[in-house]
Amino acid sequence: MSRHRRNWNTPWSVGRLMQQRWPMPEMLSQRPELMEPGRALHEWTELNDRGELCPTPNETIAGWTEAWKRFSYAFSPSFSHVEHVFETDQFHGIVDRAGSIRGKLSVLDLKTGKPATPQHGVQLAFYALGMFPNTAQTAQRLNVYLRKDGEFRLVVRDDPRDFVICRELLNQAYSEGETHGTSRDS
């Protein structure tokens, strides 16, 4: 799967940039197994979207996979990039999906939690900058919040201030001199 660790040429991942303002909850950093259902869901949706044989989802992720199928049926996305690794001259990451949704250039991020705080819009702005540097601000930025009951909620992120925050986070990262070495995170 594409979520394996790799060597990067840039020291800053999207996640690491975001943690400057929105640190990972201590519970998740102490208990990484809590993120395992999300990893399993991403693996399943990647296989599904690539048209590969998908295992029957386990009970933990079955509702979320049903929600993803419902989203896909309702919006008929045409993804050119699935779990796609990208790297710019300043940062790197893995975007869940990029392509066309209802005729619009889009970046999309799957979520299993509730629609949350502004960081989701900023995360998508980073993905748009990484994938479409010349047209990032015109790309449609979407979160698909999948629920265990098989339902989904689509949230369009269109606040232009998200890109301002991206620039602030990049400036903070590079002004603090933390550019040594390369990271292995995503």
Side-chain angles (χ1 to χ4, degrees), residues 2-169:
S2 63
R3 292 207 167 255
H4 294 265
R5 295 187 182 271
R6 56 191 33 84
N7 288 319
W8 301 97
N9 294 317
T10 54
W12 288 92
S13 69
V14 170
R16 187 170 171 223
L17 287 163
M18 302 281 295
Q19 286 180 24
Q20 295 175 106
R21 187 166 294 180
W22 298 284
M24 181 181 291
E26 191 172 323
M27 177 179 58
L28 291 178
S29 61
Q30 292 176 351
R31 297 191 51 210
E33 72 275 5
L34 295 175
M35 294 188 291
E36 190 53 41
R39 277 195 214 47
L41 174 66
H42 276 82
E43 288 177 7
W44 188 93
T45 59
E46 179 179 5
L47 289 172
N48 181 71
D49 290 354
R50 292 186 187 279
E52 297 180 29
L53 183 62
C54 295
T56 301
N58 67 42
E59 186 178 309
T60 305
I61 68 167
W64 292 329
T65 62
E66 186 61 32
W68 183 247
K69 288 188 244 179
R70 286 182 176 172
F71 163 79
S72 298
Y73 181 76
F75 287 89
S76 300
S78 178
F79 296 124
S80 54
H81 299 85
V82 175
E83 300 295 330
H84 182 75
V85 173
F86 69 86
E87 187 162 18
T88 73
D89 62 343
Q90 292 187 304
F91 64 95
H92 60 269
I94 302 172
V95 64
D96 290 350
R97 305 290 183 277
S100 176
I101 298 178
R102 294 197 170 161
K104 292 184 179 181
L105 182 65
S106 304
V107 291
L108 181 143
D109 194 53
L110 290 80
K111 298 288 186 192
T112 57
K114 296 178 181 177
T117 57
Q119 70 253 38
H120 292 173
V122 175
Q123 178 186 21
L124 283 164
F126 271 121
Y127 291 160
L129 288 165
M131 294 298 298
F132 311 115
N134 296 323
T135 57
Q137 292 190 330
T138 61
Q140 181 172 239
R141 297 177 290 130
L142 306 169
N143 282 123
V144 179
Y145 293 92
L146 306 173
R147 295 184 3 195
K148 282 192 164 219
D149 67 0
E151 298 298 318
F152 71 89
R153 179 172 175 204
L154 180 67
V155 176
V156 177
R157 303 295 181 168
D158 56 4
D159 189 339
R161 293 174 294 186
D162 294 340
F163 292 97
V164 173
I165 295 170
C166 287
R167 182 59 43 211
E168 290 171 357
L169 292 172

